[in-house]
Amino acid sequence: MFVKNGFYLYLALSIMIKMKHTLTAFLLLLTGFFFSQSKTEIYVIGNIHDSVPNYHPKILFDILDKVKPDIILHEVDTQGMKDYENGIKITENEIKASNAYLKKYPKTLRFPFDFEGRNQYRKDRGMVPTDNLSVMLIDSLYKAKKLTSSEMKIYENFTNLTKDLMKIAELSPENFNNASTDEISGKRQNAQYSELLKIIEARSEFTKRFVVKPNGEKISYRDGFKLMSGFWDLRNQTMAKNISKIAATHPGKKIVVLTGFLHRYYILKELKRINNGTYVTKEFYD
């Protein structure tokens, strides 16, 4: 009798242990489900700023209306966002589509996420216009066949990557919002801010040409371009941090980030690097 009762006791305990494990597994699964559901979703949408036949405010509005974000982030600083809200500088695809979306969904929040004082910061330090002037000078040296063979290859690589992206920009937005185009964008920007810099640092022409900064000081093309090269990293890293901060203060929300598509690869890379598990990045077409 004792053995029989012991057998039933063992059987009951085994069933209870299995039920306990099953319940624990179920609770963990349920907790994981609700946790994943509460994560903020971030959609980084790379844009063409100016309206063109294949990309204009109506196309972007339709994308927003599909995603239905709770928050839209604009590639402007605080003053730029105030200008938008006051109806100033309403020219680009992003703000036109955003305004149309806000009209349909008035509770939508909108914030800036760019480097504060971006434009003035670059002017004050002489990055602008030395950046464009430097590229123009390289182009003139190339056309005059004054570059070395290695310098010519660097410049041709830069121009070819630029042409590749221009062709992609003539297609539908899915084509300039994917990993393949992000890779090309990364190569193109590296060609501009790292490879072209090698030409600029090697040639005396860039030390003999200057611009005058707002404070009256002169800065050479070389020094100005070097500053702009560093600012490319600083700006994108800052934008990603700002996006992450907004995501942290708005858990469980859908956030659409509207940026130029050349920034997309860098922002996504940085968001992945600094993510502490509170958000996930998604594509608008998934």
Side-chain angles (χ1 to χ4, degrees):
M1 179 66 69
F2 176 78
V3 173
K4 187 176 181 180
N5 289 342
F7 171 76
Y8 286 125
L9 179 61
Y10 171 78
L11 185 62
L13 286 172
S14 297
I15 292 171
M16 289 175 65
I17 290 170
K18 287 180 179 179
M19 288 178 64
K20 182 179 179 182
H21 287 167
T22 302
L23 181 61
T24 301
F26 175 74
L27 290 173
L28 286 172
L29 182 64
L30 195 64
T31 301
F33 172 76
F34 282 115
F35 179 73
S36 65
Q37 290 297 98
S38 67
K39 281 189 179 181
T40 300
E41 296 178 4
I42 300 178
Y43 298 77
V44 180
I45 301 178
N47 294 268
I48 300 168
H49 297 312
D50 298 323
S51 183
V52 288
N54 65 296
Y55 197 71
H56 48 74
K58 178 61 168 61
I59 291 175
L60 179 53
F61 170 80
D62 289 342
I63 292 172
L64 294 174
D65 204 23
K66 177 187 174 184
V67 175
K68 289 187 170 49
D70 305 293
I71 302 169
I72 298 175
L73 304 186
H74 282 276
E75 189 188 310
V76 292
D77 59 10
T78 302
Q79 184 57 51
M81 199 68 228
K82 288 179 181 177
D83 289 343
Y84 279 172
E85 291 169 348
N86 292 325
I88 302 172
K89 299 179 181 177
I90 308 298
T91 58
E92 297 180 346
N93 286 325
E94 295 94 307
I95 185 56
K96 289 181 178 179
S98 175
N99 281 347
Y101 185 83
L102 187 66
K103 187 175 181 180
K104 185 173 181 179
Y105 304 101
K107 293 183 180 180
T108 306
L109 300 177
R110 299 194 297 187
F111 302 109
F113 72 94
D114 207 341
F115 186 95
E116 277 299 317
R118 173 196 70 195
N119 292 336
Q120 196 61 46
Y121 183 90
R122 293 186 298 195
K123 289 177 183 177
D124 288 344
R125 286 156 181 78
M127 302 177 201
V128 174
T130 51
D131 57 337
N132 287 334
L133 291 173
S134 295
V135 177
M136 290 170 63
L137 179 53
I138 293 174
D139 185 67
S140 67
L141 292 169
Y142 175 80
K143 289 176 179 175
K145 301 187 184 302
K146 292 184 178 180
L147 296 179
T148 66
S149 58
S150 61
E151 290 169 348
M152 287 177 66
K153 287 179 181 178
I154 289 173
Y155 186 61
E156 286 170 353
N157 179 56
F158 167 72
T159 56
N160 288 335
L161 287 167
T162 302
K163 289 174 184 176
D164 289 342
L165 288 175
M166 288 174 69
K167 290 178 181 177
I168 294 171
E170 294 175 354
L171 305 174
S172 62
E174 292 86 353
N175 289 279
F176 46 89
N177 279 277
N178 58 54
S180 176
T181 302
D182 289 341
E183 184 177 358
I184 299 171
S185 296
K187 289 178 179 178
R188 192 269 181 192
Q189 296 307 91
N190 181 69
Q192 178 172 349
Y193 292 118
S194 295
E195 296 302 308
L196 291 188
L197 184 58
K198 293 177 182 178
I199 299 175
I200 292 167
E201 290 185 320
R203 301 192 66 97
S204 62
E205 292 94 336
F206 297 88
T207 63
K208 297 175 181 178
R209 288 170 172 78
F210 301 87
V211 298
V212 179
K213 297 188 291 184
N215 65 0
E217 294 177 355
K218 293 197 303 183
I219 185 170
S220 69
Y221 284 18
R222 177 185 291 177
D223 289 342
F225 192 89
K226 286 175 69 174
L227 289 174
M228 181 60 91
S229 295
F231 185 66
W232 174 252
D233 294 309
L234 175 61
R235 183 186 172 195
N236 283 283
Q237 290 164 10
T238 301
M239 290 196 293
K241 287 178 183 177
N242 291 340
I243 294 165
S244 180
K245 288 176 183 177
I246 293 168
T249 54
H250 296 85
K253 300 296 184 182
K254 283 186 180 181
I255 300 177
V256 160
V257 178
L258 299 178
T259 187
F261 80 87
L262 282 175
H263 290 281
R264 205 184 99 102
Y265 81 93
Y266 207 133
I267 290 173
L268 285 171
K269 178 183 69 175
E270 279 297 298
L271 286 175
K272 181 179 180 180
R273 186 182 68 82
I274 63 178
N275 189 5
N276 61 3
T278 58
Y279 55 81
V280 293
T281 57
K282 293 187 174 184
E283 300 289 6
F284 66 83
Y285 45 80
D286 288 341

